[in-house]
Amino acid sequence: MALTIDQFPCRSDNFGVLIHDTETNQTASIDAPEFQPIIDRLADRGWSLDTILVTHHHADHVEANLTLKTAYDCTIVGPAGGARQIPGIDRTVDDGDTFNFGTFEVRVITTPGHTLDHIGYYLPGAGIAFVADTLFALGCGRVFEGTPAMMWESLQKLMTLPDDTTIYCGHEYTQANARFAVTIEPDNLQLVARAEDIDALRAAGKPTLPTTIALEKATNPFLRVDQPGIRRRLRLEDAPAAEVFAEIRKRKDNF
Ligand code: ZN
Ligand code: FE
């Protein structure tokens, strides 16, 4: 079995991602940020669209749901918690649910915080996860509907995925995230080196994603709230992890 993954820019800073099972010839779109780039990419590849896997109800993730459904008669899967806000949803899923995409198992991980309905999709057989606006390269999503403690719990769930899991995110925010990250952990040499790599990639017009769990654990300040250096800098040496996380999130909001 083999999975082809195609990531491409949509809107101003969203990613579209198509996954294609070469054995069954099935294709899924992770979210539906924008109609035209998605149908262009499908046409380039010669793929039809069977499924949309929706991560959360925000407009920049569901805008093309109905137009794609009309064009391809595809099935729309999305979080039970957001069903009323997700156009054209056919099937709801919840934490721990599993289903098949082609020959691959898909596991649903609820990750509330950015929105209450936010979920991620993990394909253990392919070693990949689609986390949308929960975890970003060197960052995490803004906490719009949940609480920082809820978001921290969701990030911890993602941190239990195998270190070599490839992570696809909803947005190309990495360069701005890197500028903030180095203010939180300036003496993390791997982070500093990564920030330089990111600048080079962006200067060349290249995406900085996907990433991996291992790379985020080593460089993403939002996942490193237990690091003594970060705690010292924030003067939160003995605070619970969720409180350190909340402080970093607050600083990023005001950065
Ligand atoms: Zn969002
Ligand atoms: Fe988004």
Side-chain angles (χ1 to χ4, degrees):
M1 59 185 189
L3 195 71
T4 305
I5 304 167
D6 193 345
Q7 175 188 259
F8 51 96
C10 284
R11 307 173 73 96
S12 56
D13 53 32
N14 282 74
F15 283 113
V17 183
L18 296 172
I19 58 175
H20 179 79
D21 180 0
T22 55
E23 201 166 311
T24 62
N25 206 30
Q26 281 179 294
T27 307
S29 177
I30 312 305
D31 287 326
E34 191 180 8
F35 182 64
Q36 197 62 48
I38 295 173
I39 62 159
D40 287 348
R41 196 55 68 114
L42 287 164
D44 284 352
R45 291 283 195 165
W47 296 341
S48 186
L49 185 64
D50 303 281
T51 310
I52 302 173
L53 301 177
V54 176
T55 60
H56 66 298
H57 68 81
H58 279 165
D60 62 310
H61 297 257
V62 302
E63 185 190 81
N65 274 15
L66 295 180
T67 43
L68 287 170
K69 196 171 186 174
T70 302
Y72 294 99
D73 196 26
C74 53
T75 300
I76 301 179
V77 178
R84 273 172 298 121
Q85 294 158 287
I86 295 169
I89 192 165
D90 296 297
R91 174 167 174 198
T92 59
V93 290
D94 218 327
D95 199 38
D97 284 356
T98 61
F99 59 93
N100 290 323
F101 166 72
T103 51
F104 291 86
E105 183 191 66
V106 182
R107 291 187 198 161
V108 176
I109 307 170
T110 50
T111 55
H114 175 69
T115 61
L116 292 178
D117 68 340
H118 202 296
I119 60 174
Y121 296 96
Y122 173 46
L123 282 67
I128 60 175
F130 301 98
V131 303
D133 294 359
T134 298
L135 174 63
F136 291 121
L138 294 180
C140 73
R142 264 183 193 257
V143 181
F144 286 121
E145 294 180 4
T147 63
M150 195 185 272
M151 186 64 150
W152 171 236
E153 216 170 286
S154 294
L155 290 170
Q156 283 178 285
K157 281 166 97 172
L158 297 178
M159 286 167 78
T160 66
L161 296 175
D163 276 349
D164 60 357
T165 307
T166 300
I167 301 294
Y168 286 84
C169 310
H171 294 266
E172 177 62 71
Y173 289 159
T174 316
Q175 199 168 29
N177 287 342
R179 288 204 185 99
F180 171 74
V182 295
T183 69
I184 298 296
E185 201 178 15
D187 42 15
N188 180 338
L189 298 180
Q190 194 179 345
L191 168 60
V192 171
R194 189 181 179 193
E196 284 167 16
D197 292 346
I198 287 159
D199 287 341
L201 283 170
R202 296 310 292 152
K206 291 181 183 154
T208 63
L209 287 149
T211 180
T212 64
I213 289 291
L215 185 54
E216 294 314 311
K217 280 182 179 171
T219 54
N220 185 329
F222 292 96
L223 304 186
R224 295 173 60 75
V225 300
D226 288 328
Q227 289 297 312
I230 290 182
R231 286 170 162 264
R232 250 193 322 273
R233 178 166 292 272
L234 301 176
R235 301 192 188 287
L236 290 171
E237 280 95 335
D238 302 316
E243 200 178 314
V244 182
F245 170 79
E247 175 61 24
I248 299 174
R249 188 58 260 178
K250 192 173 93 191
R251 289 185 183 217
K252 175 67 166 67
D253 291 343
N254 298 318
F255 184 66

